[in-house]
Amino acid sequence: MISMTPEQATLQAEVEQFIYSEAAMVDQSRWQEWLELYTEDMIYWAPSWVNENELTSDPEAEVSIIYMNNRKELEHRIWRFTSGDSPASYPLPRTNHMISNVAITSVTDEQIVVSSNWMSQIYRDKEQLFYGGFYEHTLVRVDGQLRISHKKVVLLNDIVVGFVDVYHL
Amino acid sequence: MKIETLTTGDSGPIDFSSFVEHDRDTSEARIKRVALTSPEIFDMEMRYIFEGNWIYLCHESQIPNSGDFYTTTMGRQPVIVVRNNDGKVNGFLNACAHKGTTLCRTQTGNKASGFVCSYHDWCYDLDGNLEYMPRADEGYAQTHERSDHNLTSIARVDVHGGFVFGSLNPDVSTLKEHLGDITEVIDMLTDQSDAGIEVIRGTNTCIYRGNWKLLIENGGGDGLHLPYVHKTLMGIINKRDEESNKGKLKVEKMIRIDELNDKDTVGATYAMPNGHTLIQSDLPNPQDRPAYARHDEFVERHGEERARWMTSKLRQVAIYPNMFVMDQLASLIRYVRPIAVDKTEVSYWCIAPKGEPREMRIKRMRQFMDFFSIAGLGGPDDNHEFEQCQIGAAAAGAPWSDATFGLHDQFDGSDRRAEEVGIKNAEHGGAVGWEGGAVHQYQNWIRLMEAGQNREMS
Ligand code: FES
Ligand SMILES: [Fe+2]
């Protein structure tokens, strides 16, 4: 039986609400708010599979699904898929992100590392897709607010339908 | 209105030659869209092209050691590519001679001590010879020969520049003949390292819901679509440039494909025997590519013109029917595996000179991820167009695709620049965007489909 101090319980609740609110921003297309959850020097990394059970481990020199190492890139990506000029992204799908198993795996003065499980339901062109996997958020406080400095997304699939973008994950 | 349909079954063989109309007088061409939607034709393509001719299988660097294997399919048949104890690359159907269960069940792995069937323990060496069956003495008559129960080999397996090809049909030309002058362009990549090139770790695979020919034709010469389908990519190229000029962020510049269609860009598309095509074009900013740093060294070794092709030109080769070797915004293999008439698997494999410095590797990886990843800023838009073309192709009342762009301006031979680097046996178009590449691919398709049909009927 895991026991939590009141401080731990408060932090757990805060972190959970934060992770849920991030998902809500994506599912409700609140892109500007979503972007602002990330620090300027953020890293967003979805590694690729090397074989049945191993992921790539070096995002700079090995293949990933997505690797962005500053917020500008995420901003550009959002610009791209909301512009209406990317055939792959128009119309945007309806999405529903479910997150559970939220666990704080480490806390230091600088950062909080949080792991969770996710599933997404994606509906577009009269077709339904399900993806799922794991998140690892590294959170920092900026002016008292939680911000994401590092997000790692593991997608269980090694073959996707058509393509994937950040809103599928 | 006359609806174009297939003439098959009771009405006799399919007239494949009617699928492309190329009027030499008006320089107009059109292609029948039913080639994209007919399950019957897909079935024939599997037999006559993917199971009847050379196709690309994998890269040698994916099976570096003895016993290393790679599993894939040839048409609809599961196959194993394996390196034997002498370092030779062998290929087998992935089916045990006993009851046909698969012997290799992962994408890659190692079978250094041979294939051991997990069902009833038949054991084969890496040349496919059946070496052991349990209870052989009590179970089989003395006339029973082990050698009658070896694995079935892929009829032809051969390698050029590390790229492994195979044919299930023994009755084909040599790989060298099949590839023709395309080998020159492959060599421009492999010559970038004495140690050869390698496939970098990490799979990047998607399935689009469209016919395989849509992708082959797009990458085989559709230089027309860049500014439109890839409009947002162009936008991001500009945004990246702005950021990098501001000097605030360390962002990697991208290759300026937005300037490729400029009039003074030196480039052309070539159509070569056996359905292969090549697009080459000067890059506006070659200095932003990893290979450019070695330009002078390449001049010394390979001469001025070849070095220029190696470092400063976009080179995109479509090796018919199932792969691209691309050295343009990034260096990669794009591998195409048809699954059904309206379903195609595409894998993007980033390739690089072995042992390249980490700085260069990082740059290369960046450029690969930007455009071609399954979550890239370009590839997804292409794939989505293929899916929409597939939907449109069901409109039987609109049976033809136009393939006329640049046909009035095409040349029977190669050109001076290409000849200088060994690309001799080709016809070519004057502009990037020449649709002769697609026409050429389909003419090769007609040749293979007719040959297959005749073979089966006789
Ligand atoms: S199926 Fe392989 S030994 Fe029986
Ligand atoms: Fe494209």
Side-chain angles (χ1 to χ4, degrees):
Chain A
M1 172 83 201
I2 296 171
S3 68
M4 276 193 198
T5 63
E7 292 74 27
Q8 283 174 327
T10 308
L11 185 63
Q12 172 75 24
E14 186 191 8
V15 160
E16 280 177 11
Q17 289 308 313
F18 179 82
I19 305 262
Y20 298 155
S21 71
E22 188 202 2
M25 288 172 195
V26 171
D27 291 338
Q28 295 163 15
S29 305
R30 289 151 54 200
W31 304 117
Q32 189 56 37
E33 274 177 81
W34 182 53
L35 181 66
E36 284 163 13
L37 290 186
Y38 288 82
T39 61
E40 263 185 45
D41 60 352
M42 60 135 237
I43 287 178
Y44 182 110
W45 179 39
S48 284
W49 290 99
V50 176
N51 56 40
E52 283 68 16
N53 300 105
E54 186 188 354
L55 289 159
T56 50
S57 53
D58 179 350
E60 287 192 300
E62 292 181 331
V63 173
S64 305
I65 296 172
I66 301 182
Y67 176 62
M68 297 182 278
N69 61 6
N70 63 73
R71 195 173 66 188
K72 272 285 167 218
E73 286 189 53
L74 180 57
E75 185 184 323
H76 293 166
R77 199 172 263 275
I78 292 171
W79 167 80
R80 173 181 132 80
F81 66 66
T82 55
S83 68
D85 287 332
S86 154
S89 335
Y90 180 81
L92 282 174
R94 301 169 196 153
T95 66
N96 167 27
H97 286 78
M98 306 288 286
I99 298 168
S100 74
N101 305 27
V102 179
I104 296 175
T105 54
S106 83
V107 185
T108 64
D109 287 347
E110 285 78 40
Q111 61 182 41
I112 309 161
V113 182
V114 187
S115 68
S116 58
N117 294 23
W118 63 276
M119 277 201 83
S120 65
Q121 173 196 6
I122 295 132
Y123 185 80
R124 182 191 171 185
D125 293 342
K126 301 177 178 61
E127 257 182 8
Q128 187 125 268
L129 295 174
F130 282 100
Y131 289 126
F134 311 104
Y135 292 143
E136 188 185 81
H137 285 79
T138 303
L139 306 178
V140 295
R141 290 211 190 263
V142 180
D143 302 328
Q145 303 291 314
L146 288 178
R147 290 284 176 265
I148 303 163
S149 72
H150 197 138
K151 181 173 176 178
K152 179 178 171 187
V153 183
V154 172
L155 170 67
L156 291 190
N157 304 50
D158 55 12
I159 301 183
V160 301
V161 177
F163 66 96
V164 283
D165 211 324
V166 283
Y167 49 78
H168 292 99
L169 302 177
Chain B
M1 185 177 59
K2 183 171 166 277
I3 306 282
E4 297 284 337
T5 49
L6 281 178
T7 44
T8 53
D10 293 344
S11 39
I14 297 177
D15 177 13
F16 286 109
S17 67
S18 73
F19 278 66
V20 176
E21 288 182 1
H22 181 187
D23 186 330
R24 296 261 167 193
D25 294 329
T26 61
S27 295
E28 290 191 27
R30 55 183 196 165
I31 298 163
K32 260 187 204 168
R33 289 183 187 152
V34 70
L36 305 172
T37 56
S38 159
E40 186 181 359
I41 288 182
F42 180 79
D43 211 64
M44 295 165 102
E45 288 171 343
M46 291 303 100
R47 299 203 300 276
Y48 307 156
I49 301 178
F50 286 83
E51 297 166 10
N53 218 311
W54 286 108
I55 61 170
Y56 173 70
L57 299 175
C58 67
H59 191 265
E60 266 198 300
S61 64
Q62 292 170 304
I63 45 168
N65 305 309
S66 290
D68 282 352
F69 69 83
Y70 184 92
T71 54
T72 181
T73 58
M74 297 178 76
R76 291 151 304 189
Q77 307 196 31
V79 301
I80 306 164
V81 184
V82 66
R83 191 180 289 278
N84 77 4
N85 289 322
D86 308 320
K88 181 172 166 276
V89 178
N90 283 334
F92 304 102
L93 297 184
N94 191 1
C96 180
H98 180 214
K99 286 201 180 204
T101 193
T102 56
L103 296 164
C104 294
R105 299 176 180 183
T106 51
Q107 176 74 81
T108 54
N110 185 277
K111 297 276 184 192
S113 48
F115 304 105
V116 178
C117 182
S118 58
Y119 201 176
H120 315 91
D121 206 30
W122 285 24
C123 298
Y124 308 84
D125 68 16
L126 296 178
D127 293 312
N129 300 309
L130 180 62
E131 286 194 308
Y132 167 82
M133 321 150 87
R135 299 170 64 190
D137 293 345
E138 59 181 298
Y140 305 100
Q142 285 196 342
T143 50
H144 187 269
E145 293 284 349
R146 267 210 324 254
S147 59
D148 291 338
H149 302 274
N150 294 335
L151 289 181
T152 304
S153 294
I154 297 174
R156 305 283 283 274
V157 176
D158 204 353
V159 184
H160 183 89
F163 297 91
V164 182
F165 293 81
S167 169
L168 291 176
N169 175 6
D171 194 15
V172 290
S173 62
T174 63
L175 178 63
K176 208 169 162 33
E177 280 164 357
H178 171 71
L179 294 175
D181 296 342
I182 283 290
T183 55
E184 298 289 346
V185 197
I186 296 176
D187 296 348
M188 287 177 202
L189 193 72
T190 50
D191 286 349
Q192 297 188 15
S193 162
D194 291 337
I197 54 167
E198 65 181 340
V199 170
I200 301 173
R201 268 160 51 104
T203 50
N204 216 279
T205 302
C206 64
I207 290 174
Y208 72 81
R209 290 154 296 193
N211 189 267
W212 63 277
K213 295 191 290 300
L214 289 161
L215 171 57
I216 293 293
E217 164 185 338
N218 167 280
D222 188 334
L224 290 176
H225 74 289
L226 295 179
Y228 318 110
V229 165
H230 300 307
K231 193 169 172 182
T232 58
L233 176 73
M234 311 289 177
I236 288 180
I237 292 175
N238 283 325
K239 285 172 187 284
R240 284 266 183 98
D241 258 23
E242 280 166 29
E243 292 302 326
S244 132
N245 293 341
K246 276 194 246 160
K248 274 207 200 133
L249 277 173
K250 218 184 125 256
V251 289
E252 203 59 66
K253 287 202 187 189
M254 298 166 86
I255 302 301
R256 304 284 324 200
I257 50 164
D258 51 334
E259 291 171 7
L260 283 183
N261 285 357
D262 287 2
K263 283 259 162 2
D264 49 358
T265 301
V266 179
T269 307
Y270 307 79
M272 298 149 89
N274 300 320
H276 314 313
T277 57
L278 160 70
I279 310 172
Q280 63 87 3
S281 171
D282 282 352
L283 286 168
N285 54 334
Q287 67 281 359
D288 290 325
R289 297 170 116 193
Y292 193 78
R294 299 174 57 203
H295 179 263
D296 294 349
E297 177 194 336
F298 291 160
V299 170
E300 228 161 81
R301 283 205 198 180
H302 304 286
E304 192 74 53
E305 187 62 22
R306 202 174 178 86
R308 175 179 151 136
W309 281 63
M310 288 169 76
T311 63
S312 309
K313 273 189 183 294
L314 165 161
R315 304 182 310 280
Q316 173 156 327
V317 172
I319 301 181
Y320 203 82
N322 73 332
M323 81 157 329
F324 299 88
V325 180
M326 300 154 87
D327 193 0
Q328 35 135 301
L329 279 81
S331 51
L332 67 148
I333 296 166
R334 188 159 60 169
Y335 169 62
V336 183
R337 206 171 68 84
I339 295 171
V341 67
D342 56 357
K343 228 180 194 190
T344 305
E345 185 182 287
V346 191
S347 294
Y348 307 89
W349 296 104
C350 186
I351 47 178
K354 275 187 195 160
E356 100 183 308
R358 188 171 167 88
E359 291 297 284
M360 280 197 198
R361 182 60 62 89
I362 289 173
K363 190 175 204 138
R364 185 181 300 278
M365 185 50 61
R366 219 10 126 77
Q367 293 180 344
F368 171 76
M369 298 289 306
D370 277 342
F371 188 100
F372 289 103
S373 149
I374 52 173
L377 306 167
D381 291 324
D382 287 311
N383 292 354
H384 191 68
E385 285 307 327
F386 307 152
E387 296 192 344
Q388 296 298 318
C389 283
Q390 190 70 25
I391 294 171
W400 293 98
S401 283
D402 187 73
T404 300
F405 189 91
L407 293 191
H408 66 291
D409 189 23
Q410 71 175 33
F411 308 90
D412 270 343
S414 188
D415 59 22
R416 185 183 56 77
R417 276 185 195 290
E419 271 175 11
E420 206 173 310
V421 294
I423 298 151
K424 302 196 169 104
N425 196 0
E427 53 181 28
H428 77 284
V432 171
W434 176 58
E435 291 185 310
V439 174
H440 176 79
Q441 284 182 344
Y442 268 97
Q443 278 159 348
N444 186 63
W445 179 83
I446 291 169
R447 184 178 67 80
L448 293 170
M449 296 298 274
E450 280 182 337
Q453 184 167 254
N454 291 339
R455 208 162 52 226
E456 259 179 23
M457 306 233 310
S458 64

